[in-house]
């Protein structure tokens, strides 16, 4: 099977002819190449269990976690709901094209610079700002409230949604789906001080209101996080407030 | 390879996992100019993968109304087979509720009970439900919270900086040398105190649940700098890892009531641990599974089944969503409908850098905390849920100590060390020869076969011989890459050097202890021998070269040493 991999900072691709083993994931394949064929290949990894968010790549145009994606999934016919992004080289027939995740500067091979993604995340001040007196024990938080937050705390900040979002590509200053989902998670938190107006932080043309609900974020998210739902709910809450509801 | 930039900070923490971040937050809150160096972006640290939970005697569960720190301490000490230091266990268990509440106050979204309090689940080796959790993504939630706290405090982060050596002069740690992975440049870091929080060494073994970056770095750095390592023979094997990929299937599954079943359909744990059954301590469950497999009662691929089906779809979806996801993503099955094939795998390092309860290593200005350290609170066998607790409780204490016990800086010494390190790595970088990969594979196999779940003298001696051979071959190992930027083959070659060093320490310690205790199980010495071995193993490079073994007494005092079973 021909594996075509992006090399260097841009434009160049190397082909590897690899006998793929049964059940191999994209990450297994990258390790196989680095350990047996070309030690200079660069890619990120850590947990190999879809928990740490290190290994986002573009595989045959699909934005995926390398550790969670079996090669077989990439050579099968497209499924409903899959989001394909434009590729920069030809996908080898019956083979696999691996490229760095889009909309982040490339450092080398499949490694990108996360800074633009995390800069937006930091800007929204993702830290609990609790109000009132700290209880001696835990805060009392209901089942339902905590489950609602969980939907968003499940985010592993892998930046796949960033890479798949047309608004990130088109609107200057857009925080991106993951950062907005994070902001909404803090808005939902009953422990937050009532003085903080989390929703207003992104209440502008390049914030909540920039989203066009392509819902690519939810479709590509490896952890089932629905940033689109957070954005929709924030908009409704802001509208209701403006209309004095 | 390098440029001469020298960075200075009061407190430098190496490691952006839970232990490192908790230490950094404390040092920063006390007023220290604090920096964190981490070879991966902190959120990618291994702590993020912890699933099941964190122990604290809160007594929130109706079944645990009169729970208290003493009971937690008793379970911990019994689980440790009396090898834990009881003064340290007292600190761990007394401070547990405070440590958990603190993270809750900082924003962790824990799972709740019907009263809105922190929910608590049963875990192996514990008398009552004592484990707080955030679904089965506890590490992920704690790490995100601590990262949020650390980042909002102005702690300086050096992400993707790989520490290659410590600078020790006049028995005092003066800082470290680190490779900026993104640029390929080496930098010197001068500090008044330095905390190692680099996590475990799972990658020295085949079949490990650990993240692929757990390569023993901090332990090897301290060992080479002259610090002692303690109880290195105690390696925890987790009974239930996904067959093949060895991704962890948390004890939370058995805590919720999952069964272990052999190929004849029997729940075999009743044979080995009549009372605790599936919830016996990890070492016992791991050995029981291996015995079933060896007796021909396993399934294809050397595994048994973990059956969740009787729990029902709703409970599985609600309480164990992460495990269900893992089974679907990595084994292509839904545990609501099918049992999960599992086998034991290396999981946790009880041993580590020998430290006091304040993280002191014996080298001035050098501290260690978290999985890379051994205080010791886990002894011969760690209880599930106690190591996340260890990182928080002792992270805070060590951050405080590192702030209080800081030493004079010695920037010129760091600069000289930087120049030497630039030369060393330049030579390594330009070398051509056998690459790290084949040596690494050989090491992993040797460790699993000779220093795994069942051990004996002959097998271990043979294993030690292979390790020595590998050590010699490693001297000629080569990087074989001309690209300086993000040069993983350089990083991985250095990691292999660290791992071989630590594999040797595990091997020598395991040979020294001629008894069976907790996770260290010798078929040639199957009994526990308190008269000769109720003590800690210490290993150090005495003359800077050849390792020597000594021992130190266990600190008792809370509970008398007993023979007990599960
Ligand atoms: C799959 C799994 C599940 C677990 N579940 C639980 C659980 O439910 N409950 C529980 O109590 N325990 C659990 N554990 C154990 C627990 O997760 C770990 O012991 C704990 O997270 C270790 O934290 P740490 O901060 O010491 O190290 P880590 O989180 O491993 O962090 C190490 C840090 O050091 C850095 N580092 C390492 N080497 C270098 C270097 N050379 N230069 C620079 N930086 C370096 C890394 O980048 C990283 O930031 C689990 C373990 C595994 C494997
Ligand atoms: S929302 Fe999903 S895709 Fe986006 S960063 Fe988080 S985990 Fe990744
Ligand atoms: S390696 Fe951690 S998510 Fe893929």
């Amino acid at each position: 099977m021909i594996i075509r991999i992006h090399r260097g900072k841009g434009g160049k691709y190397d082909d590897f002819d690899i006998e793929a083993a049964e059940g191999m994931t994209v990450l297994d394949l990258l390790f196989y190449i680095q350990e047996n064929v070309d030690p200079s290949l660069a890619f990120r990894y850590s947990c190999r269990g879809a928990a740490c968010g290190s290994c986002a790549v573009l595989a045959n145009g699909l934005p995926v976690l390398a550790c969670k994606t079996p090669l077989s999934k990439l050579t099968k016919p497209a499924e409903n709901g899959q989001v394909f992004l434009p590729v920069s080289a030809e996908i080898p027939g019956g083979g696999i094209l691996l490229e760095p995740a889009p909309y982040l500067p490339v450092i080398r091979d499949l490694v990108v610079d996360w800074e633009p993604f995390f800069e937006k995340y930091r800007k929204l001040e993702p830290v609990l700002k609790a109000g009132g007196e700290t209880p001696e024990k835990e805060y009392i938080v209901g089942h339902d409230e905590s489950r609602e937050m969980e939907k968003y705390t499940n985010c592993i900040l892998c930046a796949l949604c960033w890479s798949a979002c047309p608004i990130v590509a088109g609107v200057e200053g857009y925080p991106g789906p993951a950062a907005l989902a994070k902001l909404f998670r803090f808005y939902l938190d009953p422990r937050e001080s009532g003085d903080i107006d989390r929703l207003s932080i992104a209440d502008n043309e390049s914030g909540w209101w920039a989203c066009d609900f392509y819902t690519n974020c939810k479709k590509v998210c490896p952890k089932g996080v629905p940033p689109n739902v957070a954005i929709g709910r924030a908009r409704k809450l802001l509208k209701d407030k403006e209309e004095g509801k | 390879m390098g440029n001469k930039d020298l960075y200075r900070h009061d407190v430098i923490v190496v490691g952006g996992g839970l232990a490192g971040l908790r230490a950094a937050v404390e040092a920063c809150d006390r007023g220290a100019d604090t920096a964190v160096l981490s070879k991966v972006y902190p959120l990618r640290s291994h702590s993020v993968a912890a699933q099941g939970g964190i122990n604290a005697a809160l007594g929130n569960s109706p079944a645990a109304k009169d729970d208290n720190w003493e009971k937690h301490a008793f379970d911990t000490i019994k689980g440790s087979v009396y090898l834990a230091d009881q003064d340290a266990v007292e600190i761990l268990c007394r401070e547990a509720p405070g440590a958990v509440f603190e993270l809750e106050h900082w924003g962790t979204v824990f799972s709740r009970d019907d009263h809105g309090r922190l929910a608590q689940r049963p875990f192996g080796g514990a008398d009552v439900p004592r484990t707080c959790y955030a679904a089965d993504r506890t590490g992920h939630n704690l790490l995100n919270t601590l990262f949020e706290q650390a980042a909002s405090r102005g702690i300086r982060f050096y992400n993707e900086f790989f520490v290659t050596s410590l600078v020790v002069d006049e028995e005092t740690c003066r800082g470290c040398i680190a490779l900026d992975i993104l640029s390929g440049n080496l930098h010197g870091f001068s500090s008044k105190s330095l905390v190692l929080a680099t996590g475990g060494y799972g990658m020295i073994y085949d079949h490990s649940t650990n993240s692929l970056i757990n390569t023993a770095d901090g332990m090897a750095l301290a060992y080479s700098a002259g610090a002692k390592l303690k109880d290195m023979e105690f390696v925890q094997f987790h009974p239930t890892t996904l067959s093949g990929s060895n991704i962890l299937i948390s004890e939370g599954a058995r805590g919720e009531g999952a069964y272990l079943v052999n190929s004849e359909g029997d729940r075999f744990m009743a044979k080995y641990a009549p009372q605790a059954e599936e919830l016996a301590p990890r070492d016992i469950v791991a050995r029981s599974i291996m015995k079933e497999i060896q007796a021909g009662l396993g399934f294809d691929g050397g595994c048994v089944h973990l059956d969740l089906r009787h729990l029902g779809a709703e409970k599985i979806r609600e309480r164990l969503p992460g495990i269900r996801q893992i089974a679907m993503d990595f084994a292509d099955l839904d545990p609501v409908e099918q049992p999960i094939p599992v086998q034991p795998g290396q999981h946790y390092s009880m041993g580590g850098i020998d430290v006091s309860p304040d993280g002191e290593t014996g080298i001035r200005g050098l501290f260690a905390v978290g999985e890379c350290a051994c205080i010791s609170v886990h002894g011969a066998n760690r209880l599930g849920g106690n190591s996340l607790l260890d990182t928080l409780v002792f992270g805070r204490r060590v951050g405080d100590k590192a702030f209080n016990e800081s030493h004079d800086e010695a920037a010129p010494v760091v600069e000289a060390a930087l120049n030497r390190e630039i030369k060393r790595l330049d030579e390594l970088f330009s070398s051509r020869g056998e690459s790290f990969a084949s040596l690494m594979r050989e090491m992993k196999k040797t460790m699993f076969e000779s220093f795994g779940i069942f051990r004996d003298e002959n097998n271990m001696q043979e294993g030690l011989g292979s390790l020595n051979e590998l050590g010699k071959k490693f001297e000629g190992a080569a990087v074989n890459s001309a690209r300086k930027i993000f040069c993983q083959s350089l990083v991985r070659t250095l990691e292999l050097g660290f791992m071989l060093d630590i594999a040797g320490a595990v091997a020598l310690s395991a040979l020294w202890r001629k008894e069976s205790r907790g996770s260290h199980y010798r078929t040639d010495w199957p009994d526990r021998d308190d008269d000769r071995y109720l003590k800690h193993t210490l290993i150090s490079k005495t003359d800077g070269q050849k390792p020597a073994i000594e021992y130190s007494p266990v600190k008792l005092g809370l509970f008398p040493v007993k023979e007990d079973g599960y």
Side-chain angles (χ1 to χ4, degrees), chain B residues 312-452:
Chain B
E314 196 184 326
K315 194 163 177 184
I316 294 173
R317 283 202 189 106
E318 168 137 339
R319 303 272 188 92
L320 304 165
I323 285 171
R324 178 161 178 256
Q325 198 64 49
I326 286 170
M328 299 203 300
D329 289 345
F330 297 97
D332 203 17
L333 63 86
D334 184 348
V336 170
E337 280 148 23
Q338 273 173 280
I340 310 174
V342 293
Q343 61 189 184
Q346 187 284 343
H347 185 55
Y348 185 80
S349 16
M350 268 77 73
I353 304 162
D354 176 32
V355 291
S356 73
D358 288 323
E360 297 148 298
T361 60
I363 295 174
R364 273 193 303 266
L366 181 66
F367 303 85
V369 67
E371 194 170 337
C372 72
C374 178
I375 295 183
S376 97
V377 291
H378 308 302
N381 189 25
R382 168 184 75 100
L383 295 191
N386 265 356
S387 85
L388 292 180
L389 181 61
D390 173 3
T391 65
L392 297 180
V393 165
F394 293 100
R396 188 186 67 70
R397 294 176 68 93
V398 173
D400 182 47
K401 192 74 175 177
F403 167 74
N404 281 317
E405 301 264 303
S406 60
H407 293 268
D408 289 342
E409 277 187 74
V413 180
V414 178
E415 221 168 306
L418 173 61
N419 288 330
R420 283 195 302 276
E421 194 72 340
I422 289 175
K423 204 159 159 265
R424 179 175 80 102
L425 291 204
D426 269 341
E427 277 164 24
L428 185 62
F429 193 69
S430 53
S431 59
R432 294 286 173 273
E434 188 168 5
S435 88
F436 67 89
S438 58
L439 300 178
M440 186 186 70
R441 278 193 289 269
E442 194 61 28
M443 169 191 68
K444 284 168 170 290
K445 192 163 156 270
T446 303
M447 290 307 289
F448 195 80
E449 284 174 1
S450 300
F451 303 94

Side-chain angles (χ1 to χ4, degrees), chain B residues 30 71 113 123 199 253 371 449 461 479:
Chain B
R30 302 300 308 273
K71 290 184 183 171
D113 66 13
F123 239 47
E371 194 170 337
E449 284 174 1
Q461 287 294 359
V479 169

Side-chain angles (χ1 to χ4, degrees), chain A residues 117 154-162 177-178 217 220-223 225 227:
Chain A
F117 172 77
N154 283 341
C155 168
I156 57 173
L157 296 167
C158 66
L160 277 172
C161 56
W162 169 282
C217 51
V220 303
C221 180
K223 304 310 281 185
V225 179

Side-chain angles (χ1 to χ4, degrees), chain A residues 6-23:
Chain A
H6 176 270
R7 302 306 303 268
K9 260 188 163 326
K12 195 175 163 291
Y13 289 79
D14 278 348
D15 282 359
F16 300 90
D17 192 356
I18 305 287
E19 191 91 37
E22 167 83 22

Side-chain angles (χ1 to χ4, degrees), chain A residues 45-49 51-52 54, chain B residues 15-19 38-51 138-141 143 197-203 208-215 246-248 346-349 370-372 382 387-388 391:
Chain A
Y45 61 85
S46 172
C47 72
R48 64 84 174 79
C52 75
S54 294
Chain B
L18 284 172
S38 175
K39 67 178 177 180
V40 295
Y41 198 87
L43 290 169
R44 320 303 186 202
S45 300
H46 173 64
S47 290
V48 82
Q51 300 174 356
T138 311
H140 162 81
N141 282 286
L143 188 65
T198 52
Y201 55 56
M203 288 304 109
S208 170
T209 62
N210 285 195
S211 294
L212 308 177
I213 59 166
N214 285 15
T215 51
N246 300 109
I247 292 172
L248 180 74
Q346 187 284 343
H347 185 55
Y348 185 80
S349 16
E371 194 170 337
C372 72
R382 168 184 75 100
S387 85
L388 292 180
T391 65

Side-chain angles (χ1 to χ4, degrees), chain A residues 198-240:
Chain A
R198 288 276 185 184
L199 294 186
S200 72
I201 297 175
D203 185 10
N204 52 50
E205 290 294 294
S206 60
W208 303 116
W209 304 98
C211 174
D212 270 340
F213 296 106
Y214 287 89
T215 66
N216 282 6
C217 51
K218 173 153 190 283
K219 287 180 202 143
V220 303
C221 180
K223 304 310 281 185
V225 179
N228 56 314
V229 175
I231 296 167
R233 284 189 56 195
R235 283 175 32 167
K236 171 130 193 346
L237 286 158
L238 285 165
K239 224 188 226 152
D240 287 353

Side-chain angles (χ1 to χ4, degrees), chain A residues 7-9 12 14 25 27 31 34-36 38-54 67-70 107-109 111-115 117-118 121-122 126-128 130 134-143 145-147 149-150 153-159 182 185-186 189 191 222-223, chain B residues 40-41 43-46 48-49 58 60 101 103-118 134-135 137 140-141 144-145 147-149 151-152 160 182 203 208-213 245-248 318 321 325-326 329-330 435-438 440-441 479-489 492 495:
Chain A
R7 302 306 303 268
K9 260 188 163 326
K12 195 175 163 291
D14 278 348
T25 63
L27 190 64
F31 274 117
Q34 190 189 60
E35 290 173 11
N36 299 287
D38 183 349
S40 74
L41 181 65
F43 54 92
R44 279 204 185 91
Y45 61 85
S46 172
C47 72
R48 64 84 174 79
C52 75
S54 294
C67 67
K68 196 189 142 175
T69 309
I107 288 170
R108 184 160 85 73
D109 299 355
V111 177
V112 295
D113 181 359
W114 281 320
E115 188 46 28
F117 172 77
F118 278 112
Y121 154 89
R122 281 195 302 269
V127 64
L128 184 74
T134 311
E136 199 184 314
K137 295 184 170 178
E138 67 269 56
Y139 287 94
I140 298 300
V141 177
H143 260 316
E145 289 173 302
S146 95
R147 247 177 258 145
M149 285 188 278
E150 247 175 53
T153 51
N154 283 341
C155 168
I156 57 173
L157 296 167
C158 66
K182 186 68 82 181
R185 164 254 178 280
F186 283 107
D189 201 315
R191 296 168 292 188
K223 304 310 281 185
Chain B
V40 295
Y41 198 87
L43 290 169
R44 320 303 186 202
S45 300
H46 173 64
V48 82
L58 307 181
N60 281 356
F101 290 145
L103 265 290
E104 197 276 332
H105 296 159
W106 282 348
T108 303
V109 178
F110 282 103
S111 299
R112 303 284 168 161
D113 66 13
D114 292 339
H115 307 285
R117 296 177 308 194
L118 301 185
R137 303 183 182 102
H140 162 81
N141 282 286
N144 270 272
T145 301
F147 181 68
E148 289 157 11
Q149 291 291 329
S152 73
E160 308 195 294
L182 290 190
M203 288 304 109
S208 170
T209 62
N210 285 195
S211 294
L212 308 177
I213 59 166
S245 64
N246 300 109
I247 292 172
L248 180 74
E318 168 137 339
Q325 198 64 49
I326 286 170
D329 289 345
F330 297 97
S435 88
F436 67 89
S438 58
M440 186 186 70
R441 278 193 289 269
V479 169
N480 299 322
S481 166
R483 305 182 192 197
K484 236 174 85 172
I485 293 174
F486 219 92
C487 185
Q488 273 168 331
S489 55
R492 297 190 70 194
E495 286 176 343

